[in-house]
Every structure is written in C-alpha cells, then in structure tokens.
Amino acid sequence: MFLFVITFGSIMFYLEHDPSTSQQPPDTPGPSSQFSSILMSCWWVLVSITTVGYGDMYPVTIAGKFVGSLVLCLGLLWMALPMTIIVSKFGAEFDRETSEKGVCVKMSSCSILSGVLLYIRLRLDGRRTK
C-alpha cells in the first residue's frame, strides 16, 4: 500500500502541479495547484483509496482526472480483496462451529446479520456449558 500511495502520489503531483503558481502565497487570488508537493499528493491518494474523499483536493486536468479515476478503482480493489478473504474465513469457521454443535443452518435462507447473531449465540452457549 505504501508503494501504491507513493507511486500514484508522485504521478498526480507531476500531472497536476503548476510551477508558475507554486511560488505564490496560498492567499493569493487566482488559480493555484492544490497538489503543491508530493507529500500533499500522497495525502490525496491515501484519502481517496480509503473512500473518505474529503474534497479538499481534486484533479483539474484531463490526465489528472484519468489517473484519479484509476486510483479510485484500484483503491477499491485493493481494499475489497482482503474483505473477501475475511468473509470466506468467517463462513468456514461458522460452518465448522454449527456442524460441531449439530445445528443445521442454510446461509442462503437467512441474512448475514442473523448468521452472525447465531454464531455469537452458539459461542456464548458453548462457554456456558463448559
């Protein structure tokens, strides 16, 4: 993730940075680049891939908007892939626990929330009987 942020932060800085406005003070009227340093661009990438997106910085050039879209899509994939692993491990553990307790549960017939509540109840019941 560190390399992702550094790489795309640097790319966004070089695409969006306007050297003619970089020497102006921040309160000067007129156009100024929001991507004033690579560190600020890395901040934008980190905020964007975690889907917070404060809106304090945004790309204005066509190339910057394209790379920004790419960052958002790759960031969602980067964050979503571990979730599939966690959910599959939870499902496997849930199936193992319910089969040990002799409870027959069809996950397709109940929602995930009721499955989680049933799992918690089984865990608590198991602790009470021991």
Side-chain angles (χ1 to χ4, degrees):
M1 186 161 172
F2 178 74
L3 291 175
F4 184 86
V5 170
I6 295 295
T7 302
F8 280 102
S10 300
I11 291 170
M12 286 303 290
F13 172 74
Y14 287 112
L15 289 176
E16 292 291 321
H17 180 68
D18 185 8
S20 65
T21 61
S22 64
Q23 302 302 324
Q24 294 178 355
D27 57 351
T28 304
S32 65
S33 175
Q34 298 168 343
F35 296 88
S36 57
S37 68
I38 291 179
L39 186 60
M40 289 297 293
S41 300
C42 289
W43 168 252
W44 176 83
V45 170
L46 184 64
V47 167
S48 296
I49 64 172
T50 57
T51 67
V52 174
Y54 293 126
D56 55 347
M57 297 172 62
Y58 51 88
V60 293
T61 64
I62 298 295
K65 289 178 182 180
F66 176 75
V67 171
S69 301
L70 186 66
V71 164
L72 293 174
C73 292
L74 290 176
L76 285 174
L77 288 175
W78 188 276
M79 302 300 262
L81 285 177
M83 289 300 127
T84 59
I85 295 169
I86 292 169
V87 168
S88 68
K89 294 291 182 185
F90 174 79
E93 180 67 19
F94 179 78
D95 290 341
R96 187 181 66 78
E97 283 289 321
T98 54
S99 66
E100 285 178 2
K101 300 287 183 185
V103 177
C104 182
V105 176
K106 291 180 93 177
M107 285 302 288
S108 61
S109 65
C110 64
S111 68
I112 297 294
L113 180 60
S114 61
V116 170
L117 293 175
L118 178 63
Y119 176 75
I120 292 170
R121 191 184 82 201
L122 289 173
R123 294 290 280 189
L124 291 175
D125 288 345
R127 289 186 183 149
R128 287 187 200 139
T129 59
K130 290 181 182 178

